[in-house]
Amino acid sequence: MLQNVSLRDPRVEEAVALWAETGLPVVSHCGVNSYYPDDSPEAATQNPAYGNLEDFMYLVERLPQVKFIAAHAGGLTGGEAETLAAHLGGAENLWVDTTFRSAEEMRMLVELFGEDRVLFGVDRPFGGTRAAVKTAFEASGRARSCPRRSCTRIWRSSSAWPSEARAHLPPEVRGKVLPYATSPR
């Protein structure tokens, strides 16, 4: 979406198939929406249509050896999670995340995909960790708030991931992965 390339582009399939050698999942933004206002300089770098759920499902089906995570559980405009579950529910290579989902929607995702296929998500910098953790606790029925130490620990571990991921790549793959793809932010 932000790279201005369709998920059906053969270059995407080739890159994702190569990434599969790492054993790490591919997170794909799902949902047809814009990140940037039309008058911003970054607007030209996006094509909201490339967040199309059908294109994501196509890629998941084409590459069963790749672990995929559907950001936003397929999208946020309505019905995407249900569509994803109807077409790919039970797929061994698919997980969904809870970014920008309410507690009620999180419970629905567990019903649709199973608790082992629903991952906690935040979508930083657009979403806040504390609010997302609080909503996840509410969805689980365990608590109504996020203890400060827990939220801080979650944030620190999630922000360290990119640099750690590169260290675990096989040497023959490490040299092929673009530096910006795994550099710390």
Side-chain angles (χ1 to χ4, degrees):
M1 180 179 141
L2 295 176
Q3 290 75 25
N4 226 353
V5 178
S6 168
L7 292 179
R8 291 186 188 248
D9 187 304
R11 295 173 296 172
V12 172
E13 187 171 333
E14 183 180 340
V16 171
L18 179 63
W19 182 254
E21 295 177 27
T22 68
L24 296 170
V26 171
V27 180
S28 182
H29 182 275
C30 293
V32 180
N33 61 340
S34 297
Y35 273 105
Y36 306 111
D38 291 339
D39 61 349
S40 75
E42 295 87 3
T45 67
Q46 67 183 354
N47 185 335
Y50 292 153
N52 186 314
L53 183 60
E54 286 75 24
D55 293 347
F56 174 75
M57 293 188 299
Y58 167 84
L59 198 59
V60 172
E61 290 175 328
R62 293 268 306 159
L63 299 169
Q65 76 278 19
V66 178
K67 300 171 187 171
F68 285 96
I69 300 171
H72 310 294
L76 296 169
T77 58
E80 294 94 344
E82 293 87 341
T83 300
L84 190 59
H87 286 80
L88 293 173
E92 291 294 318
N93 64 331
L94 176 66
W95 288 261
V96 297
D97 80 19
T98 62
T99 51
F100 292 118
R101 293 292 184 160
S102 68
E104 181 180 330
E105 290 169 321
M106 288 180 189
R107 288 188 290 272
M108 176 198 68
L109 294 175
V110 170
E111 289 178 29
L112 289 172
F113 296 96
E115 66 182 22
D116 61 331
R117 296 289 165 169
V118 178
L119 306 174
F120 172 76
V122 176
D123 207 359
R124 294 189 61 207
F126 302 103
T129 303
R130 183 177 296 275
V133 171
K134 180 179 178 181
T135 303
F137 275 120
E138 182 183 329
S140 70
R142 293 190 185 149
R144 293 221 172 250
S145 65
C146 172
R148 185 168 188 84
R149 290 176 77 172
S150 295
C151 285
T152 302
R153 193 174 316 119
I154 289 168
W155 179 81
R156 284 185 183 148
S157 65
S158 66
S159 63
W161 182 86
S163 59
E164 293 172 6
R166 187 169 174 83
H168 295 290
L169 295 174
E172 63 275 10
V173 174
R174 191 177 309 137
K176 297 176 185 177
V177 176
L178 296 174
Y180 65 81
T182 56
S183 63
R185 296 179 190 177

